[in-house]
C-alpha cells in the first residue's frame, strides 16, 4: 500500500513543484487543482488561511485523482494539523519552525515540511522529524543562499518557497533544491476566477523551464 510519504515523493519526482493555493475563497480550489494536475503539476497545497478550506479539502480528498499529492499549508498548531489530516491532507506545510506541529505530524504519520530559513532553524526542524524543510522566504537569499546552506547540511531535503518565478526555478534546482513551493507566479488569479487556460500556460512554462535546466 502506498504511504503518504511515497505519494508525496513520487509526485515531486515526476514534477518538483508544490502549487500553493491561497485565496479569499476555496470555492475554485478543485478546478484549479484539476487544471494543474492535467498540466503535470502533481502536488498541491490548500492553505488553511483560506476561508472554507477544510470543507474544500474534505470534498476534494474524498475523490482525489490518482497521482495527486494533496496537502495543507500554513499549519501552525497541532489542532490545525489534526483537522487538516482528518479532512484529507496527506502532508502538512508550516510557515515557520513549529516543533509542536512537526511532533503532531510524526504522531499522525504524515509528511511534514516546516518552514525555516537559518541553518539553526533548518537543523532544528530536521532533527525534530521534518520530512523535508521549506526554505522560506527563498527569494531573500536566492539560489546562492540555498547552495550555501546545503554545503554544511547536504542531507536535508530543501524546498525553497516564496517569490520564485518561472525564470528562477531552474537555478534553485541546480543549486540543490528537492522541489519548489510556488504560489502567485504559478497560480496567479486562477483561484479568484481567472483564466484556467492561462494557468495551463503558466504551468507549462514552469515545467518546460525545469526540464530544460
Amino acid at each position: 500500500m502506498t504511504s503518504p510519504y511515497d505519494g508525496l515523493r513520487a509526485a515531486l519526482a515526476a514534477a518538483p513543484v508544490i502549487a500553493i493555493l491561497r485565496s479569499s475563497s476555496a470555492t475554485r480550489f478543485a478546478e484549479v487543482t484539476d487544471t494543474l494536475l492535467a498540466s503535470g503539476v502533481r502536488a498541491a497545497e490548500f492553505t488553511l488561511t483560506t476561508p472554507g478550506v477544510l470543507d474544500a479539502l474534505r470534498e476534494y480528498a474524498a475523490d482525489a485523482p490518482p497521482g495527486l499529492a494533496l496537502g495543507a499549508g500554513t499549519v501552525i498548531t497541532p489542532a490545525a494539523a489534526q483537522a487538516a489530516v482528518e479532512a484529507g491532507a496527506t502532508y502538512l506545510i508550516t510557515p515557520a519552525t513549529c516543533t509542536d506541529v512537526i511532533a503532531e505530524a510524526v504522531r499522525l504519520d504524515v509528511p511534514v515540511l516546516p518552514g525555516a530559513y537559518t541553518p539553526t532553524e533548518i537543523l532544528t526542524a530536521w532533527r525534530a522529524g521534518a520530512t523535508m524543510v521549506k526554505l522560506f522566504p527563498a527569494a531573500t537569499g536566492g539560489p546562492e543562499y540555498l547552495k550555501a546552506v546545503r554545503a554544511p547540511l547536504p542531507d536535508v531535503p530543501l524546498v525553497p518557497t516564496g517569490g520564485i518565478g518561472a525564470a528562477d526555478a531552474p537555478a534553485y534546482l541546480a543549486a540543490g533544491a528537492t522541489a519548489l513551493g510556488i504560489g502567485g507566479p504559478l497560480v496567479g488569479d486562477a483561484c479568484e476566477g481567472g483564466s484556467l487556460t492561462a494557468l495551463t500556460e503558466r504551468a507549462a512554462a514552469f515545467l518546460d523551464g525545469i526540464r530544460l535546466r
Side-chain angles (χ1 to χ4, degrees):
M1 181 177 178
T2 300
S3 76
Y5 295 86
D6 295 335
L8 178 59
R9 289 181 177 125
L12 296 182
V17 175
I18 300 174
I20 302 167
L21 277 60
R22 184 189 309 276
S23 182
S24 59
S25 169
T27 55
R28 217 177 184 213
F29 278 15
E31 287 179 272
V32 170
T33 303
D34 284 343
T35 300
L36 288 165
L37 183 59
S39 302
V41 176
R42 294 178 51 185
E45 166 193 341
F46 285 22
T47 56
L48 297 192
T49 51
T50 302
V53 70
L54 288 178
D55 288 338
L57 180 61
R58 186 176 296 106
E59 183 176 348
Y60 194 77
D63 193 26
L68 174 72
L70 181 61
T74 321
V75 182
I76 59 173
T77 67
Q82 185 172 359
V85 171
E86 288 175 352
T90 59
Y91 60 94
L92 305 171
I93 299 179
T94 79
T97 308
C98 305
T99 54
D100 53 350
V101 175
I102 299 172
E104 182 67 6
V106 171
R107 186 187 74 81
L108 294 169
D109 195 29
V110 296
V112 59
L113 288 70
Y117 190 75
T118 68
T120 298
E121 292 170 347
I122 292 167
L123 192 56
T124 296
W126 182 244
R127 286 178 170 171
T131 309
M132 304 170 194
V133 176
K134 168 184 163 180
L135 184 67
F136 176 79
T140 302
E144 287 303 313
Y145 181 71
L146 170 64
K147 185 177 179 179
V149 168
R150 276 188 48 79
L153 300 173
D155 296 329
V156 181
L158 296 177
V159 181
T161 303
I164 301 173
D168 311 316
Y172 281 97
L173 293 169
T178 296
L180 308 171
I182 311 291
L186 171 61
V187 180
D189 62 353
C191 293
E192 303 283 352
S195 168
L196 296 180
T197 299
L199 174 61
T200 299
E201 292 170 355
R202 286 192 298 273
F206 264 96
L207 296 181
D208 286 348
I210 290 168
R211 295 186 185 109
L212 293 173
R213 80 183 194 278

